[in-house]
Amino acid sequence: MSGGASFRAHLVDTLWVVGVFAFVCAVWEFAVKAFDLPVFVLPPVEDVVADLLSAPGLFASHALFTVGMALAGFAVAASVGLLMAFAVVSSRILDRILMTFLALLHSVPKVALAPLFVIWLGAGFEPKIAIAAMMSVLVIVVDAVAGLRSVDPEMVNLARVYRASPLAIMLKVRLPAALPHIFASWKVAISLSLIGAIVGEYVGGQRGLGYLILVSQGSFDTPRVFASVLLLSVIATALYYLIALAERMFAPWHVSRRAGGH
Amino acid sequence: MSGSPLVEIDKASKIYRSPRGATTAIADVTVQIGDGEFVAVVGPSGCGKCTLLKCVAGLEPLSSGEIRVRGERVDGPPDGLGAVFQRDVLMDWRTALDNVLLPAEFLGLRRADFLPRARELLGLVGLADRANSYPWELSGGMRQRVAIARALLCRPVFLLMDEPFGALDALTRDELNVELQRIWLAEKNTVLFITHGIEEAVFLADRVLVMDRDPGRVALDLEVALPRPRPIAVRDEPAFAAHTAKVRAAMPRAGASRAA
Ligand SMILES: Nc1ncnc2c1ncn2[C@@H]1O[C@H](COP(=O)(O)OP(=O)(O)OP(=O)(O)O)[C@@H](O)[C@H]1O
Ligand SMILES: [Mg+2]
């Protein structure tokens, strides 16, 4: 019963997305025709699509690289972030030290640090992963800490009655209770990591959609710039749904309660 | 039928302090609970029953006084404890069966060794067919019954129960009262049982403590010398009624202590 309802809700959602997308394309097409814009300013939609189809292998290999960098950076941020959150929740002193350090990191515009990472780590994949990780680690830690602290204190009491070790309380009581918070932060973090990967490709190296945008811009190949940006939007959306899928698998109680409207 | 005292509560006081002021939850409570004794506590809402239980469980520190279990000062949960709290605190991410198995996991015991007992206990509380349901798929009373099964899993020698049957209908409540008495007679554990039901307290307990509030203290300590096992029909006997009458008389009237 809820399956049918949620399928219809998905269908309605999808139709909305398609509709808005079609509307944007229509306005775009209209602007090009009405103002007679040159291709290097705003290419018509069909030029962008044609460019995408003209070199699928090229786009695919650059896209794959960017996705790889974003996912690697995200994975680093997610694991380091979770360990940091455990530390923050378990100790007052670590709470002070790590949260101050993260606030400091937050105050630095990380994009401005990107060239520095190239100096330190070269033009390979390391600086890209580092920037992608740095972009998303803060939101992951902050939300994971909030989640780990949101657990019902009575549940911790129950665990203490049965002499649960601090580690068991962390992994079997706090962590599951925090999963909804953690997944919510991951949905934001994954797109931040994607931005980080692109910035990394802007400042060094010769692979990835960020690099492709940069060289196409250099030769005024605007359709290719647009094609890359379009591809990036599709990737960002796909990554978001990847996290949503993981949430469905690993926190099903949360998802089904939300759908059930309790 | 009580042996040497298992629990000694000695001039125990608990004051909760917050920026908005201090609340004296219990003041100068002195009670001894014998090994194998079943003690029920009744009293008006807010008289400090939960607080007393939390302190005995070693989950809340006392403000003054001392609680000893087997002669040792309590400063954390003592050995062989089992507990049912006022709220069921089931884990949403675990099935009913996995919730019942939690104490074994936390105590570092082998899960497989307790699987048959977990199923048996679920059957005992009438939930054999809901072992694989998640807590959010259960009714309030069902959830409470899962919590009771969980508390019994590792055969606790000292069982703390805070209004465990509060969310149940009268019939199920009667059944579980009889069942709890049977389990207690078989396992000979010590039970501290909080309830709002005077009849339930007299039916189950060797001793009924009546608490008064502002501050929380023991107003009456009544021995219940009815023979065991007590059938549910014992409640129609004059001896039973004599006990409930004494308890009722000692119960503070609603708002009486505040109105003064
Ligand atoms: N964590 C706490 N912080 C501050 N005050 C508290 C806390 N827990 C309980 N109290 C106060 O202590 C008093 C006793 O509370 P307690 O929960 O022990 O009552 P109770 O007898 O269990 O009531 P009920 O029958 O309604 O469950 C109340 O006045 C309550 O406001
Ligand atoms: Mg209470």
Side-chain angles (χ1 to χ4, degrees):
Chain A
M1 53 193 183
S2 81
S6 83
F7 176 74
R8 271 197 45 193
H10 274 293
L11 196 70
V12 171
D13 279 354
T14 313
L15 285 177
W16 267 102
V17 173
V18 171
V20 171
F21 187 72
F23 178 73
V24 170
C25 287
V27 171
W28 173 356
E29 199 66 15
F30 173 79
V32 171
K33 297 273 150 55
F35 304 110
D36 202 17
L37 294 171
V39 169
F40 75 87
V41 175
L42 188 64
V45 179
E46 63 265 24
D47 281 22
V48 173
V49 175
D51 190 56
L52 259 178
L53 297 178
S54 72
L58 175 87
F59 280 110
S61 91
H62 285 296
L64 218 59
F65 183 79
T66 302
V67 169
M69 294 304 103
L71 278 179
F74 170 78
V76 169
S79 32
V80 171
L82 192 58
L83 289 177
M84 278 175 134
F86 285 158
V88 165
V89 173
S90 344
S91 139
R92 267 229 166 84
I93 297 171
L94 287 174
D95 178 2
R96 279 285 168 83
I97 295 175
L98 287 173
M99 289 323 264
T100 310
F101 169 73
L102 285 170
L104 214 68
L105 182 69
H106 184 57
S107 68
V108 178
K110 283 155 289 287
V111 174
L113 288 180
L116 205 57
F117 275 79
V118 177
I119 295 176
W120 289 340
L121 300 169
F125 52 82
E126 296 95 337
K128 296 165 183 73
I129 294 174
I131 298 163
M134 227 175 41
M135 287 293 288
S136 59
V137 75
L138 184 75
V139 60
I140 289 177
V141 175
V142 169
D143 279 20
V145 166
L148 293 172
R149 286 196 174 136
S150 75
V151 68
D152 183 349
E154 202 77 327
M155 212 171 262
V156 176
N157 275 341
L158 185 88
R160 285 178 57 207
V161 162
Y162 301 108
R163 307 229 160 153
S165 64
L167 184 69
I169 291 180
M170 190 62 86
L171 296 181
K172 291 190 172 178
V173 184
R174 290 190 185 276
L175 181 59
L179 279 183
H181 286 83
I182 291 175
F183 277 111
S185 77
W186 283 6
K187 285 177 185 168
V188 177
I190 192 81
S191 55
L192 290 176
S193 281
L194 185 62
I195 293 171
I198 297 161
V199 169
E201 292 161 4
Y202 278 169
V203 294
Q206 287 168 9
R207 293 176 72 185
L209 289 174
Y211 165 75
L212 195 61
I213 288 171
L214 207 64
V215 292
S216 310
Q217 179 253 182
S219 58
F220 286 90
D221 188 353
T222 312
R224 182 144 293 182
V225 173
F226 268 89
S228 305
V229 171
L230 194 70
L231 208 50
L232 280 171
S233 319
V234 172
I235 288 169
T237 310
L239 289 177
Y240 176 91
Y241 280 107
L242 192 73
I243 302 290
L245 189 74
E247 180 180 27
R248 199 164 273 277
M249 279 167 65
F250 295 108
W253 69 92
H254 171 59
V255 177
S256 51
R257 286 185 83 161
R258 205 167 42 195
H262 277 254
Chain B
M1 70 182 292
S2 53
S4 59
L6 177 85
V7 184
E8 297 159 89
I9 303 169
D10 193 1
K11 296 202 186 66
S13 300
K14 174 74 189 179
I15 302 168
Y16 289 107
R17 290 175 207 285
S18 77
R20 278 157 286 117
T23 311
T24 306
I26 54 173
D28 255 340
V29 172
T30 299
V31 175
Q32 297 200 345
I33 302 175
D35 201 355
E37 204 173 16
F38 196 124
V39 174
V41 181
V42 293
S45 178
C47 70
K49 302 184 295 295
C50 280
T51 304
L52 183 67
L53 183 127
K54 291 264 160 66
C55 292
V56 171
L59 296 171
E60 286 277 3
L62 286 175
S63 305
S64 68
E66 193 172 89
I67 296 177
R68 289 180 296 275
V69 173
R70 296 179 203 90
E72 272 181 49
R73 191 195 167 101
V74 167
D75 60 354
D79 259 336
L81 196 63
V84 182
F85 293 138
Q86 196 163 1
R87 286 186 296 121
D88 53 61
V89 285
L90 300 182
M91 295 183 173
D92 273 340
W93 50 91
R94 286 170 170 259
T95 61
L97 184 68
D98 283 336
N99 267 293
V100 174
L101 282 164
L102 256 180
E105 275 180 43
F106 282 145
L107 286 164
L109 303 168
R110 277 192 44 209
R111 196 188 133 89
D113 294 343
F114 285 87
L115 205 55
R117 174 148 173 94
R119 289 194 181 282
E120 178 199 318
L121 284 168
L122 275 176
L124 205 81
V125 295
L127 292 173
D129 54 339
R130 303 307 295 267
N132 295 319
S133 297
Y134 283 91
W136 77 82
E137 300 169 321
L138 301 174
S139 72
M142 289 172 171
R143 294 175 59 113
Q144 197 64 40
R145 282 181 274 158
V146 174
I148 294 162
R150 178 179 61 191
L152 294 172
L153 183 76
C154 293
R155 301 182 195 278
V157 290
F158 184 25
L159 186 55
L160 300 172
M161 304 182 96
D162 194 350
E163 298 185 34
F165 306 143
L168 303 178
D169 63 280
L171 210 66
T172 315
R173 198 177 175 132
D174 285 353
E175 271 172 27
L176 286 177
N177 277 341
V178 172
E179 204 52 58
L180 180 61
Q181 178 183 231
R182 190 189 63 73
I183 290 169
W184 173 74
L185 285 172
E187 304 199 346
K188 299 187 170 57
N189 37 21
T190 307
V191 184
L192 183 62
F193 185 96
I194 293 170
T195 174
H196 276 136
I198 294 173
E199 304 233 307
E200 181 172 76
V202 173
F203 176 79
L204 284 168
D206 296 322
R207 265 164 71 206
V208 177
L209 305 180
V210 181
M211 283 182 74
D212 197 351
R213 70 179 163 200
D214 299 317
R217 59 188 184 274
V218 177
L220 174 73
D221 185 340
L222 179 75
E223 194 98 17
V224 182
L226 300 170
R228 307 254 191 194
R230 300 172 188 162
I232 206 76
V234 77
R235 294 185 302 192
D236 304 326
E237 290 171 17
F240 188 90
H243 282 93
T244 54
K246 276 186 204 154
V247 172
R248 199 162 284 121
M251 280 285 270
R253 298 281 145 243
S257 57
R258 285 184 195 279

